[in-house]
Amino acid sequence: MLLILVLLAATQSRASASETRPSVVVQLARELHESPLPMRSDFAWLALTQMAEFYAEEAARARRELGHTSRAGDASQWAASVDDYARKIQSLADSITTATPIIITVGIDNSVHVYVDGQPVILTGAISGQQSVYEQRVVERFCILYICEDLLPELEYSEREQSAALTQTDATRAYWSFSQYAGPVCMTHDGLEFQFQQATDLGEKREACTRVVAELSELAMAIAREQQQGMRVDWNVLKVLPAAADEPQRVILATRIEIQLPLPMLAENPGLLKMVRPWLKARVRGEAYSLVVLNAGRLMGLGDRPDSSAVIQRYPAFNNDRE
């Protein structure tokens, strides 16, 4: 009988420990508490940006679901306040620079706080009904930038199967990192990395990189759709032509074959499209490809002053196929 009681107590103890185990974002925050500032900056920017996206999505959902009901007025007012808060959170995220003081703390109740230049934001319990999804997004995006197996070796990481066919859910998205020696870096989960020489005007750089990445993603999916219908792309003549304001750009895919897409950034910066062409070709095929673009500010038309070695190399792009 004593042995049975001991076994029951041990089982209950293990179950209790499992139930109270902190979430991955809490464990990650503990590891980052005394990490280098660039790593804390990356985590803070990702966490706040994802929070702003969730609040904006929640506001849009409320407008859709209650817009034609008797509660439309209240829903509109509530959504407006949520949108306003989302903008404030995003503004705080965009204020982060390489020198911004960032503090990450975990309370005794496993609450995670991020302090951006002294301004606190609580991450845990912030997203009603979707907290676990929010935390998963933050961790997944952070682990694109860092090797999380080293930070949290006890966690299990499973390989995801990737389909070669591009769909809307495969859209390329930009992530920002302050942790590269080459300066601020805008990167994507599927192999693009844009390095900026200067840490000034980060808001402008973020906006430009986000637009470029979105346009490249849209172009890749459009080409994939055309190829599924039997069209062959001549990658040597691929170009995006300028268009009048508020009109889509003409995209030349081959001789006498063109489509129209809203790609103003690529039209204004043809050198950038030419440089990322190998990545774009691999992306359309569903193949892994890594491409690093130096002096991205110049190529995006921002006038980011390159260093002398980059000038000599004429904005080189280094690419390595991933294993």
Side-chain angles (χ1 to χ4, degrees), residues 48 52 85-96 116 206:
L48 296 184
Y85 185 69
R87 285 191 292 269
K88 290 179 180 178
I89 292 294
Q90 187 61 58
S91 177
L92 183 61
D94 290 339
S95 71
I96 297 174
V116 178
R206 286 195 187 102

Side-chain angles (χ1 to χ4, degrees), residues 22-23 30-31 63-64 71 75 80-81 98 100 105 108 119 142-143 174 184 202 206 217 227 256 317-318:
S23 66
R30 285 175 176 164
E31 293 296 324
R63 290 190 179 97
R64 287 195 306 270
R71 300 172 57 191
S81 64
T98 53
T100 303
T105 65
I108 58 175
Q119 186 167 341
F142 184 82
C143 293
L202 288 178
R206 286 195 187 102
S217 179
Q227 287 190 334
R256 295 190 297 275
F318 302 102

Side-chain angles (χ1 to χ4, degrees), residues 65 84 86 95 151 209 216 241 285 290 298 319:
E65 296 177 355
D84 182 62
S95 71
L151 290 170
C209 189
L216 287 172
L241 302 179
R285 292 177 174 176
S290 181
R298 284 285 296 271
N319 57 77

Side-chain angles (χ1 to χ4, degrees), residues 89-137:
I89 292 294
Q90 187 61 58
S91 177
L92 183 61
D94 290 339
S95 71
I96 297 174
T97 69
T98 53
T100 303
I102 302 292
I103 298 175
I104 301 171
T105 65
V106 178
I108 58 175
D109 58 348
N110 286 332
S111 59
V112 177
H113 289 78
V114 170
Y115 294 81
V116 178
D117 198 15
Q119 186 167 341
V121 178
I122 185 169
L123 305 185
T124 45
I127 311 296
S128 177
Q130 299 189 74
Q131 182 67 30
S132 61
V133 180
Y134 161 70
E135 293 188 7
Q136 181 180 355
R137 279 196 198 177

Side-chain angles (χ1 to χ4, degrees), residues 216 219-220 223 235 238 273 276-284:
L216 287 172
L219 178 57
I223 293 175
W235 294 97
L238 175 67
L273 178 59
V276 302
R277 190 184 296 162
W279 173 88
L280 186 64
K281 185 176 181 180
R283 179 78 172 119
V284 170

